[in-house]
């Protein structure tokens, strides 16, 4: 069966993992922004930032049945409301954008990955299945990398409500394309989420080990690569047109 669609993870696959290093910068940026709007007094900047950081550190991302919980928007809303301001929907989206701005600016693509994605354009449908607290962040990173038109659909655990390895996030991409699972390949860096979840639905899988320990369980990955360029070799071997 030839390859008709390729799904990519984002963090650790298209961009280097950021972990929590930008949360403090985002919290500080948002506190100053709220101060400029007259929502947050200056003496509350530091406590507000500290509360945001602690909420992100203490709040789990995953609920029952791989459900997405404690999104960036919900955490921001709770902390802003605790300071006496109830944000409207459009206002909350703007707060999320301000909070995400330092992380978006600091996002760095894996060397060679953008070249791989550009080489695949027109040869296969490209999509995203990404675990995240913020759909807006993933969209903004794709735009910053010049990939805003590359992925259709761009599915995140926030947009579909299910985190990998739950089936729902992969199924959302398959439903959009109408392809059979064995016509689609999942590329990701976390074998226990990207590989295991995709294989459970019958997708072929490529485990990218650039940012992870290759000695971990590969969860039955159909191919293992250590550099992005090797992804193209695997896909061509599976029948993707050159």
């Amino acid at each position: 069966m030839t390859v008709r669609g390729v799904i990519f993870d984002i963090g650790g696959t298209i961009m280097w993992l950021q972990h929590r290093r930008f949360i403090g910068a985002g919290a500080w940026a948002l506190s100053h922004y709220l101060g400029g709007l007259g929502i947050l007094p200056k003496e509350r900047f530091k406590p507000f930032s500290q509360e945001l950081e602690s909420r992100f550190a203490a709040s789990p991302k995953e609920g029952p049945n791989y459900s997405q919980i404690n999104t960036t928007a919900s955490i921001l809303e709770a902390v802003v409301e605790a300071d006496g301001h109830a944000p409207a929907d459009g206002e909350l989206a703007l707060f999320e954008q301000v909070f995400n701005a330092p992380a978006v600016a600091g996002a760095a693509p894996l060397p060679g990955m953008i070249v791989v994605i550009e080489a695949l354009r027109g040869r296969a449908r490209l999509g995203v299945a990404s675990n995240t607290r913020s759909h807006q962040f993933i969209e903004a990173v794709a735009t910053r990398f010049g990939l805003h038109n590359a992925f259709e659909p761009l599915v995140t655990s926030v947009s579909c409500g299910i985190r990998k390895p739950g089936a729902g996030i992969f199924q959302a991409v398959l439903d959009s394309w109408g392809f059979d699972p064995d016509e689609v390949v999942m590329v990701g860096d976390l074998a226990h989420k990207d590989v295991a979840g995709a294989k459970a639905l019958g997708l072929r899988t490529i485990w990218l080990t650039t940012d992870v320990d290759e000695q971990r369980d590969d969860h039955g990955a159909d191919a293992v690569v250590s550099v992005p360029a090797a992804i193209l070799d695997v896909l061509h071997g599976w029948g993707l047109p050159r």
Side-chain angles (χ1 to χ4, degrees), residues 15-16 18 22 101-109 137 140-142 144-145:
M15 61 171 256
W16 293 112
Q18 293 182 319
F22 286 103
V104 173
F137 170 71
V141 167
R144 182 171 177 271
F145 290 172

Side-chain angles (χ1 to χ4, degrees), residues 42-98:
K42 188 173 183 179
E43 63 270 17
R44 287 291 304 155
F45 285 11
K46 185 173 182 179
F48 176 87
S49 297
Q50 290 174 332
E51 176 61 19
L52 266 183
E53 289 188 66
S54 113
R55 288 281 187 110
F56 275 96
S59 301
K61 303 172 186 177
E62 188 176 296
N65 300 314
Y66 304 117
S67 60
Q68 174 69 53
I69 59 175
N70 296 315
T71 64
T72 294
S74 67
I75 291 174
L76 296 183
E77 183 176 32
V79 177
V80 172
E81 283 186 346
D83 262 276
H85 180 78
D89 286 344
E91 193 176 35
L92 183 59
L94 183 56
F95 294 171
E96 184 173 2
Q97 183 177 350
V98 171

